[in-house]
Amino acid sequence: MRSIRVFVISAILLIWNAAVAAQLRQIAILDVPGHPGFDAMAFAGTQLVIAHAGAGTVDIFDPAKRRVIAQVKGMADPHGVAVDEQDGRVFVANSGDNTLAVIAIADWKVIDTIQLQYSPDALLFVPEFGTLYISNSHNSSLSALKRDAHSAQTIELNGGPEDMAFDPQRSVLFVSLQDANQVIALDANLRLAKEFRVAASQPTGVAVDPKTSHIFVAVRYAVLVLDADTGREIGRVPTAAGTDKLWFDDSTRTLYAAANGGVVNMIKQESGKYYSEQELNTSVRGHSVAFDPARGLVYLPGGYEGRSKLVILKRIETAPQQTSAKAALH
């Protein structure tokens, strides 16, 4: 009888553990100086770097102090942000004057300005290649800038590049081409390695999960999950219209998707299937998202009643079947 009881208890605990889920709860909404209008975000060490296009600044937010500790002013419609941790630098794409601002992490001062041929948008720094990749969405091209170089290699594409993600397992760069309904893979020298057509319109945000060899692609009303080798669609999760920013967190195995209007969606995988764990409407109008695994916090900058705000959400692990499981033990 004792062995049967132990088996039953173990089975109940397994069921209870499988039911553990996560929910997002809003814990703060903070004022940010300047007019609303935000784009890319990236962590530089422990600090969150935010492209604040509406104010013409780059905002440095300290998650521990919960406030903006510095603003780099004089930016021209900043959009993309990328971080080179090894050299202690942040790159910012100034779409308004076709320049790349280089900011020192040590004191948040601009240490260099690189003139570009085209208007830059998204940025991605790949340490393995020592290269900064620059999407030029307005003229359908992509540029590669080697570390410490001041001139970039540029290739033409058959559509406007919207976002990029690096796959370390295949050593390729996945790029979404919004107006061509494609995702392509490029090697370190910008040579075409793969080309996938998606069965949806307006692919934008891209993220990669190397452990599962899956690519996440934001499209008009959903997030697609593609096989990184074949491009085959293996999952589709409906999302709010205008979803275009993705952030994959390996520690929680969760994809965060943000849409215009301040909607954030947590997407998970279970038994080979992807589903929306929660879709939350926040009080700001914005479309950028960042996840802080050290604190379990999600950040969404945006506008509220004409003012710039930063919404902070807390990821809470929940166990909805905990009560029934305890009851079954007695």
Side-chain angles (χ1 to χ4, degrees):
M1 291 296 294
R2 178 178 173 81
S3 61
I4 295 175
R5 176 178 171 79
V6 169
F7 173 80
V8 171
I9 291 174
S10 300
I12 292 172
L13 289 175
L14 284 172
I15 294 172
W16 177 68
N17 286 332
V20 172
Q23 293 287 305
L24 294 176
R25 297 177 188 172
Q26 182 170 315
I27 61 173
I29 179 167
L30 309 176
D31 289 320
V32 178
H35 295 291
F38 298 89
D39 205 82
M41 297 190 287
F43 278 99
T46 59
Q47 310 300 302
L48 181 62
V49 181
I50 309 170
H52 192 167
T57 64
V58 174
D59 299 342
I60 314 302
F61 179 78
D62 187 329
K65 297 178 180 178
R66 287 200 184 178
R67 63 182 178 87
V68 173
I69 60 170
Q71 277 194 317
V72 185
K73 299 182 179 180
M75 301 291 103
D77 195 19
H79 281 268
V81 174
V83 179
D84 178 359
E85 294 279 5
Q86 178 180 321
D87 285 355
R89 303 179 298 176
V90 172
F91 301 98
V92 179
N94 283 317
S95 300
D97 63 3
N98 296 6
T99 64
L100 192 68
V102 185
I103 301 169
I105 295 175
D107 57 9
W108 306 114
K109 303 293 185 183
V110 177
I111 57 175
D112 199 2
T113 300
I114 300 173
Q115 187 66 48
L116 302 173
Q117 184 178 0
Y118 304 110
S119 174
D121 194 355
L123 300 180
L124 179 66
F125 184 78
V126 178
E128 291 87 341
F129 298 159
T131 303
L132 177 71
Y133 293 94
I134 307 164
S135 75
N136 312 308
S137 58
H138 298 298
N139 77 309
S140 300
S141 68
L142 190 139
S143 302
L145 185 69
K146 294 292 185 180
R147 184 180 265 132
D148 298 327
H150 273 70
S151 60
Q153 173 194 1
T154 300
I155 62 167
E156 293 185 0
L157 302 172
N158 64 349
E162 188 66 21
D163 197 13
M164 301 170 285
F166 180 65
D167 182 352
Q169 297 294 330
R170 291 161 185 78
S171 292
V172 296
L173 186 74
F174 285 105
V175 184
S176 61
L177 305 182
Q178 183 176 15
D179 50 357
N181 294 345
Q182 287 183 326
V183 175
I184 62 173
L186 304 172
D187 66 13
N189 298 310
L190 299 183
R191 291 188 295 256
L192 182 65
K194 297 178 184 294
E195 187 175 18
F196 306 143
R197 181 168 293 277
V198 299
S201 62
Q202 301 177 5
T204 51
V206 180
V208 173
D209 179 4
K211 290 182 179 178
T212 60
S213 297
H214 291 169
I215 313 167
F216 305 102
V217 184
V219 294
R220 193 171 183 182
Y221 294 108
V223 170
L224 308 184
V225 186
L226 308 181
D227 182 278
D229 291 315
T230 66
R232 179 177 63 89
E233 183 179 318
I234 55 179
R236 178 179 294 235
V237 180
T239 58
T243 297
D244 63 353
K245 298 291 185 183
L246 303 180
W247 187 295
F248 180 72
D249 175 58
D250 182 66
S251 65
T252 58
R253 310 295 301 158
T254 302
L255 179 73
Y256 296 90
N260 285 322
V263 179
V264 60
N265 202 319
M266 287 199 304
I267 296 174
K268 293 282 289 183
Q269 182 194 51
E270 184 176 326
S271 301
K273 303 293 185 181
Y274 286 90
Y275 67 98
S276 173
E277 194 167 28
Q278 182 188 16
E279 185 172 89
L280 179 67
N281 284 276
T282 70
S283 54
V284 303
R285 294 190 61 81
H287 69 122
S288 297
V289 63
F291 179 71
D292 180 359
R295 296 174 174 82
L297 299 178
V298 177
Y299 304 96
L300 289 100
Y304 178 73
E305 295 182 346
R307 302 179 64 181
S308 292
K309 300 285 186 178
L310 180 65
V311 170
I312 303 178
L313 308 173
K314 176 70 174 178
R315 178 186 169 93
I316 306 295
E317 304 295 334
T318 60
Q321 295 185 8
Q322 182 174 4
T323 303
S324 59
K326 284 184 176 181
L329 295 177
H330 296 285

